[in-house]
């Protein structure tokens, strides 16, 4: 098991746990919690695969995801009173996860021969859409649309990936640098409480 | 028209009517009611087809679904005051429907050469996701995530299907036995008011 | 750039602006607004493509959509106090947009050799589903399910398209006539405040 696989599993775990917490908050039953955990973890990659026609989608071809999500969900339910003590680690795993998911998405887009900007969008979608689906299923406006710098970090990382790719930098190195950009931007944004401006509406709605 | 086709049509009818009732409850117009009925009926199979790449999706290749849904919706709107008298029959059709949808989903997964556990998930998804989509479109947290034993019945039926499949039992017999397991578990669960435990959250949410 | 392309771009612009307005209303940040604009514009065509297996989906193959949506969103945010002065133009673009999206959807269905009724559904879906997705992401019951004649106009236009197609009328002429039917029905419906009846529920819900 190499370094990237370990990071991938840590990312999946932290995504699953964020799903468990949201679902418990909504007083779902054990089945609902499991589904929300799974959707948060694999939702982004699934949308990416469906849109580019890479089917059966990735999580169906590899049981690792299923086992990791199942294990993380059970552990999060059992040890839920203790979760607050690992809050910082979870945040870090989550951030590393989006870094990795972003670069994986960009890579898959390039392999499918899509336009560089589309590849950045695919990467961002892979990293962010799981959380969007989680919020829709929990009947909330997705948090990412309101006050997160999440997606901006992914887009910047995607841009860096493509620049390095153009200069023929080695793929592993590109992945590590672009992933680090995502992680750094997100950590800085949370630390300095940066967020995108929201725009209040003062115009007429067309009917 | 064979026995399974008749059951399939009865299942589609009862799924459509459950959609009509939810949509009427939300004061939708006739078009909205029809869409919710259709989504409840074919939503689960559509997700299954899209995820494994079986396109165009099944309901596009066979007009039966369209006609049955249209007929069931019109009938349910016209005879809505009488629906309460057939409540038990509707519940039975619905339960038979999920039994059948589950086994059909497992079968399609096996034909696509997917891992047995993925096949069970595909079967469960086929049976349950129509109702999830119905609830999302009606702006509700899906009922199945909160207090249903619905999915558990599907999973148990899927497991039985795969065990019989491993022992090379005849496909029709396998379908009937596995479908009956789904139906029996659901009827027992409703009769004895069984449901999965929900877990209240008492942990910190990572940000 | 021919006439239809110009109309297509105008339609995309007005769909994007309707997304911007809804998202601003929900106090989303700039990123959320952009996503809602994009989803409103390309959501319908994306669903159509995914359901029939035309992947990668259309907007990934042509950067025009991305640029138009980005430009329209930035312009709508910057000039939001002025949007009320172009309200009527926006409504007109939007209506022309759904006319065009409907005919394009029907055409793609025919090219995929699907049943005529399925083709009408594909056209209607292409025109309407972007708005449905916009409303779901903004946590609203889709407006189209409650009080719009939107979809009815699309269905009528689709029927006209297929009749002309059966009589071997030239494709451009068919597109213009069918598109005009959609536009006329919608304009008349809004002018005379027509809408479909809603049906209140007075029946028992099956469990």
């Amino acid at each position: 098991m190499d370094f990237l696989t370990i990071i991938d599993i840590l990312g999946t775990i932290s995504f699953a746990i964020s799903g468990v917490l949201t679902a418990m908050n909504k007083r779902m039953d054990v089945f609902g919690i499991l589904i929300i955990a799974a959707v948060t973890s694999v939702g982004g990659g699934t949308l990416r695969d469906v849109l580019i026609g890479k089917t059966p989608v990735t999580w169906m071809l590899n049981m690792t995801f299923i086992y990791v999500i199942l294990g993380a969900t059970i552990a999060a339910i059992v040890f839920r009173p203790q979760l607050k003590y690992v809050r910082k680690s979870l945040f870090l795993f989550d951030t590393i996860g989006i870094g990795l998911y972003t670069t994986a998405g960009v890579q898959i887009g390039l392999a499918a021969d899509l336009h560089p900007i589309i590849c950045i969008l695919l990467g961002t979608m892979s990293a962010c859409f799981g959380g969007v689906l989680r919020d829709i299923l929990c009947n909330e406006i997705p948090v990412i649309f309101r006050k997160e710098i999440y997606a901006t970090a992914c887009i910047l990382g995607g841009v860096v990936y493509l620049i390095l790719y153009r200069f023929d930098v080695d793929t592993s190195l590109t992945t590590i640098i672009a992933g680090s950009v995502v992680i750094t931007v997100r950590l800085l944004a949370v630390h300095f409480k940066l967020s995108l401006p929201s725009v209040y509406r003062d115009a007429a709605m067309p009917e």
Side-chain angles (χ1 to χ4, degrees), chain A:
Chain A
M1 201 149 70
D2 61 17
F3 179 67
L4 284 183
T5 311
I6 294 172
I7 293 293
D8 196 5
I9 288 175
L10 290 178
T12 304
I13 290 174
S14 65
F15 275 18
I17 293 177
S18 112
V20 170
L21 291 172
T22 310
M24 284 199 292
N25 222 10
K26 291 279 173 178
R27 312 203 156 192
M28 293 191 180
D29 67 17
V30 171
F31 173 77
I33 293 173
L34 186 56
I35 296 298
I36 302 293
V39 162
T40 312
S41 290
V42 301
T46 300
L47 180 70
R48 177 198 64 212
D49 291 347
V50 166
L51 292 184
I52 66 173
K54 191 173 159 302
T55 51
V57 297
T58 309
W59 64 262
M60 289 195 176
L61 303 174
N62 185 337
M63 289 303 291
T64 314
F65 287 111
I66 306 279
Y67 295 140
V68 169
I69 291 168
L70 196 61
T73 303
I74 293 171
I77 291 175
V78 171
F79 297 109
R80 61 191 182 284
Q82 282 75 43
L83 277 179
K84 56 176 171 282
Y85 302 117
V86 290
R87 212 179 134 143
K88 283 216 168 143
S89 312
L90 283 177
F91 171 67
L92 202 65
F93 291 168
D94 183 71
T95 304
I96 295 171
I98 64 162
L100 196 89
Y101 281 36
T102 305
T103 55
V106 174
Q107 228 161 333
I108 288 170
L110 288 169
D113 220 19
L114 295 167
H115 188 284
I117 293 183
I118 302 291
C119 296
I120 295 175
L121 292 180
L122 274 181
T124 306
M125 216 178 257
S126 311
C128 301
F129 198 75
V132 171
L133 276 181
R134 176 199 61 209
D135 294 342
I136 293 176
L137 287 174
C138 291
N139 201 13
E140 300 278 350
I141 294 185
V143 66
I144 197 179
F145 294 166
R146 282 176 300 158
K147 56 167 193 186
E148 279 275 9
I149 200 97
Y150 215 95
T152 313
C154 299
I155 292 170
L156 290 176
V159 170
V160 168
Y161 191 105
L162 283 168
I163 292 170
L164 297 173
Y165 178 82
R166 277 292 163 87
F167 285 102
D168 282 319
V169 176
D170 170 76
T171 306
S172 307
L173 188 62
T174 301
T175 303
I176 291 168
I177 295 176
S180 305
V181 168
V182 177
I183 294 166
T184 310
V185 172
R186 179 145 159 76
L187 292 179
L188 289 175
V190 169
H191 188 259
F192 293 108
K193 298 194 196 303
L194 298 179
S195 70
L196 290 176
S198 74
V199 185
Y200 298 121
R201 180 180 160 261
D202 46 5
M205 178 80 70
E207 273 144 28

